Structure formats: C-alpha cells, structure tokens
Amino acid sequence: VRMVTGDNVHTACAIARQCGILTDGVALEGPRFRAMTPREVDEVLPRLQVLARSSPEDKYLLVTRLNGHGLPSTRAEWEDKHPGFSWEKDRDNLLPGYREEWLASRPHGGEVVGVTGDGTNDAPALKAADVGLAMGSGTRVARDASDIVITDDRFSDIVRAIMWGRSVYDNIRKFLQFQLTVNVVALLLVFIGALADRDPPLNAIMMLWVNLIMDTMGALALGTEEPTAALLQRRPYKRSAPLVSRPMARNILSQSAFQLILLLMLLFQGAAWFGVEDEGRVHYSIIFNAFVFCQVFNEFNARSIFDDVDVFSGLERNPIFIGVIVVTVGMQAFMVEVAGPFTQTTGLTGVQWLASILLGAIAVPVGAAMRFIPVVEDEEDFADSAGMVAKANLKDEARKSAASSTTGCSGGDIEAGGVARERVQEAMRDGDEKGDEDGL
C-alpha cells in the first residue's frame, strides 16, 4: 500500500504511520520523484510507501510505472508526450519511460494496481489503474473514470471488495475442480465400457441428469460460498495464473482415479457382488447410484481447493449448499425409484441403496488423504513472486548504503536504491544535523 498525498512529508509520514502504511519503507517528495529517471524509480519502488507534496501528475506517473499503462511504444509517441526533448538523449531520463525499456526491466510483467481518488485531477490515475476506486462524494469526473464507486466513502469497503473478489475467484475454481472430476470420470467410464464391448453404463438420460448435478446444482452449491477473513492472508495471483492450480490438479486426478477404479470394479464385478444379472437394469442402476453419490460427497471435497482437510468447516454458513445436497439426494431417489421407465433404472433394495451411499462416501476420506500428497502452488502464479528476490536485494543494498534500516521522514525528501545511494546518505546526514530522531 502506498500513500500519495499533497501534504508535506512530515504530516504524510505521521498519518502513514498511524495507518500502518509506513513501516520500514521509503518516503519521497513529489519534486524529487519527478526528477528521477525511470531506472532510479524502479529501484526505489519496492520500498516506496509515501509520496508527499505530490501533484496529480505524480500519481499518474507512479501508476503507469507500476503497471505499464499507456507507455509510449514508438519514438513518435514518446516525442508527443515529451515535446522539446531528444529521443536519443532523454528517453532513459524522463518518466514514465517507454514500453521497450519497461518490458526489459520486468520480464514477468508489471503490477496490478488499484487507485483511490475523489478529485477531478485524480481521473488520469484512476483511468490508468487496473482498478480505479472513487469515493461517492467525489467529483463526477472521478466517478466516471473509476471502475468502482464507494458510495459511503468508507475506505474499509475496499477491503471488503477485495475479499469478495477473491471469494468469487475461488468459488469459480471450486466449481471447476468439481466439474472436471465429473467429466473425467463419466467420459472414461463410458469409453472403457465401450472398449470392453459392454452396454454403456450411463445412458443418455443418466448423463443429462449428471450434467444437471454438475452444472446447475454444482454452481449453486459451490458458487455461493461466502468470503472469510483468511482470504486476505493469501498473496494475490497474477492475471496470467491458470485457473487450475497444482493442488487442484492433484485433487482432480486423485479423486478421478478413485471414482474410476470404484466404478470399473462395479462394472466388471458388481453383478457378482450383489448377486444380480450382469449388465441388467439392477446392475446398471447400482452403478448409476454409486456414481451420483460419489459426486454428492465429492461436492464437499470441492469446497477446498488447497490442503484443508476439514471440508465441512463453515458449512453451517452456507444453507444453499446444504439445500442443494438435500435436493440432489431427493431427486436421485426419484430418478431411480420412480422414473425407471424414463431413465432405464429400477428400484433398489435397502442393502443396495446403503451400499451405493457408503461406496460414494469413501470419496470424503479419499479427499482428506489426497491432501497429504505434497504439492505446492507454483510461485510464478503469484503477482509478487517475480519481485520478491529483487525486493529483498534492494532492502539489503539500502541497508548497506545507509547507516540505519528504519525509514523516517527527516529532511525534505527521502529515497533509497542502488542508483540513488549518494542521495540517501546525504538525506541521512541532513536529518542527523537537524537532530531529527527518525532514521532512514
């Protein structure tokens, strides 16, 4: 989080400390920021937390340097933005830089930037940001330039918006995890059955019912999970990160393997186990019932896309999920016991029903066991992964070049970075001479 304000540096730092924004980072003033080269800005950005005495142009320059929005791609575009300057001599010295050098310094892409503002002068930065948030009491221009308007002017609502956004993203992934498992198992079961020269274990009507469970019911159950505060503890994902993560792939493959083995055993040995006619209606009704209950219990597993073993946690807060499970079970009983002529099933005995349910319930302990398979998410999927090492190195370099590692707001403006090392030391000496107790 970075504070960009028109207040003087001492006032800005005091407020930033109270808000928890200024910790061990750097404070800069607008005039010094505008005079820096793109390379110098890139070196100080990982630690920049306060930008004081700033103009609206400073906020726009900061945003574009972070996410690369609107940077000139050609010489002609650069010269239009900087009339009177030479492309050959000045292109590496003026902010916000140009596309080629920006991409060269960020092989993994730029940052995802959110900006808040309420004034007309904030409109360019709000427009350039990936997510612009305007206050409801702000000007019409600011509201029109933003993506989200905070109607009650409460800054804490931004946190709620982030939390809900992450919740929606995770709910989509939960649904995908559930849907892909159903698809893999159903397709392979029918395919292997055909290769074995058997009648399809799941006919067209059964597949339609399975699709209804998978699409409509699954979306309702898994798409209505409410957000929790734990979502804010997770690092943000890149825009290019795949929807199916490594832990999700592990869950899908493990659950699919279990279900497929179980159903193939029922297909080839189930008739003998239950003492029914091979490939008869009772035999295939048991397979169909077991398959559906595998999906019902796997729906609980799909509530977790990470390594959480307790998939029932917070279930009481989602009555829609519980309702969907109840309706699915009721409809399945109707499909088997009542709609037999339509679905080509037949009524089952109590023992057969109990066996089908218990076989499907094995999906829950299998789901708990598969989460102990050591699989971690790809670090490249996270938005801050590319700069973590660089940020750590910059902090170490700044500590070595300065006498202290605590950031303060002494003097007029404060900065850190490899290229600006001399100015860091100069700012520290000025602060010491003035008797300022705050260190860099």
Side-chain angles (χ1 to χ4, degrees):
V1 178
R2 296 174 173 90
M3 175 189 288
V4 183
T5 176
D7 293 331
N8 70 67
V9 68
H10 299 288
T11 303
C13 287
I15 296 173
R17 286 196 187 95
Q18 292 178 5
C19 297
I21 296 174
L22 182 60
T23 53
D24 62 345
V26 169
L28 275 178
E29 286 193 330
R32 176 62 62 84
F33 174 77
R34 292 191 294 274
M36 296 173 74
T37 67
R39 184 176 179 182
E40 289 175 333
V41 169
D42 286 347
E43 293 194 359
V44 78
L45 274 181
R47 298 188 64 222
L48 179 62
Q49 293 179 333
V50 175
L51 186 57
R53 286 182 58 205
S54 64
S55 67
E57 178 68 13
D58 294 335
K59 183 182 286 191
Y60 175 78
L61 291 175
L62 179 61
V63 171
T64 54
R65 197 63 201 167
L66 285 168
N67 67 2
H69 174 84
L71 290 177
S73 302
T74 65
R75 175 174 179 170
E77 291 178 3
W78 187 91
E79 290 176 343
D80 286 341
K81 283 181 175 288
H82 304 284
F85 290 92
S86 168
W87 164 261
E88 288 80 7
K89 295 180 180 180
D90 301 320
R91 67 174 182 268
D92 292 322
N93 299 323
L94 297 178
L95 289 173
Y98 55 97
R99 176 67 58 181
E100 182 181 355
E101 63 84 19
W102 185 86
L103 290 174
S105 64
R106 293 166 174 79
H108 298 282
E111 304 283 351
V112 177
V113 182
V115 172
T116 63
D118 57 6
T120 300
N121 291 335
D122 294 324
L126 290 169
K127 201 75 173 177
D130 297 280
V131 181
L133 301 106
M135 299 300 174
S137 61
T139 64
R140 177 65 180 271
V141 174
R143 294 199 301 270
D144 290 343
S146 65
D147 302 292
I148 299 173
V149 177
I150 305 173
T151 56
D152 57 4
D153 290 352
R154 293 172 56 186
F155 193 81
S156 59
D157 286 348
I158 298 175
V159 179
R160 290 177 57 83
I162 294 172
M163 189 165 61
W164 273 99
R166 292 190 173 192
S167 177
V168 171
Y169 181 74
D170 278 3
N171 289 347
I172 293 172
R173 300 171 80 200
K174 292 172 185 178
F175 174 65
L176 278 178
Q177 180 174 274
F178 174 69
Q179 185 184 51
L180 290 175
T181 302
V182 179
N183 280 333
V184 169
V185 175
L187 291 174
L188 288 179
L189 178 62
V190 173
F191 178 69
I192 295 174
L195 289 180
D197 198 25
R198 284 175 169 264
D199 292 335
L202 299 175
N203 60 44
I205 303 300
M206 292 178 181
M207 290 296 288
L208 285 173
W209 168 235
V210 169
N211 279 322
L212 180 61
I213 297 174
M214 178 181 66
D215 294 335
T216 308
M217 300 292 192
L220 278 174
L222 299 171
T224 54
E225 293 278 348
E226 292 190 358
T228 62
L231 290 170
L232 298 176
Q233 305 303 317
R234 188 186 70 206
R235 288 181 289 164
Y237 288 106
K238 290 181 180 177
R239 279 177 281 196
S240 58
L243 281 174
V244 179
S245 64
R246 289 177 179 176
M248 288 174 63
R250 173 203 60 192
N251 298 344
I252 293 167
L253 293 175
S254 300
Q255 194 63 226
S256 298
F258 154 70
Q259 292 186 22
L260 190 60
I261 292 171
L262 172 64
L263 295 170
L264 288 176
M265 291 173 65
L266 287 176
L267 178 63
F268 294 107
Q269 300 294 330
W273 292 348
F274 289 95
V276 298
E277 179 187 355
D278 190 27
E279 297 190 67
R281 279 202 173 191
V282 176
H283 182 201
Y284 278 13
S285 295
I286 293 173
I287 295 175
F288 174 53
N289 215 31
F291 174 75
V292 169
F293 276 101
C294 280
Q295 311 319 318
V296 169
F297 286 102
N298 189 43
E299 210 156 349
F300 291 94
N301 288 324
R303 296 184 70 237
S304 171
I305 53 178
F306 302 108
D307 295 326
D308 305 317
V309 175
D310 184 8
V311 295
F312 299 100
S313 176
L315 189 62
E316 70 282 355
R317 296 194 299 269
N318 191 354
I320 296 179
F321 185 96
I322 299 173
V324 166
I325 296 297
V326 171
V327 170
T328 301
V329 172
M331 289 295 295
Q332 175 64 14
F334 175 83
M335 295 289 286
V336 172
E337 297 293 332
V338 179
F342 181 65
T343 59
Q344 298 181 21
T345 58
T346 187
L348 302 178
T349 66
V351 173
Q352 292 166 348
W353 266 101
L354 181 61
S356 301
I357 294 173
L358 291 178
L359 289 173
I362 300 175
V364 175
V366 169
M370 70 187 181
R371 289 183 165 86
F372 289 99
I373 300 174
V375 176
V376 296
E377 294 201 71
D378 187 354
E379 285 294 324
E380 294 298 321
D381 291 345
F382 294 103
D384 59 348
S385 62
M388 287 179 67
V389 175
K391 290 177 184 179
N393 291 338
L394 282 172
K395 288 184 178 181
D396 291 340
E397 185 181 354
R399 289 190 185 102
K400 291 176 183 177
S401 64
S404 172
S405 61
T406 305
T407 297
C409 295
S410 58
D413 47 356
I414 299 167
E415 60 185 79
V419 175
R421 183 180 295 112
E422 294 181 359
R423 285 198 286 260
V424 174
Q425 295 170 339
E426 181 183 351
M428 289 184 60
R429 288 194 297 269
D430 292 344
D432 291 340
E433 292 173 0
K434 294 179 181 179
D436 197 328
E437 295 180 356
D438 292 332
L440 181 64

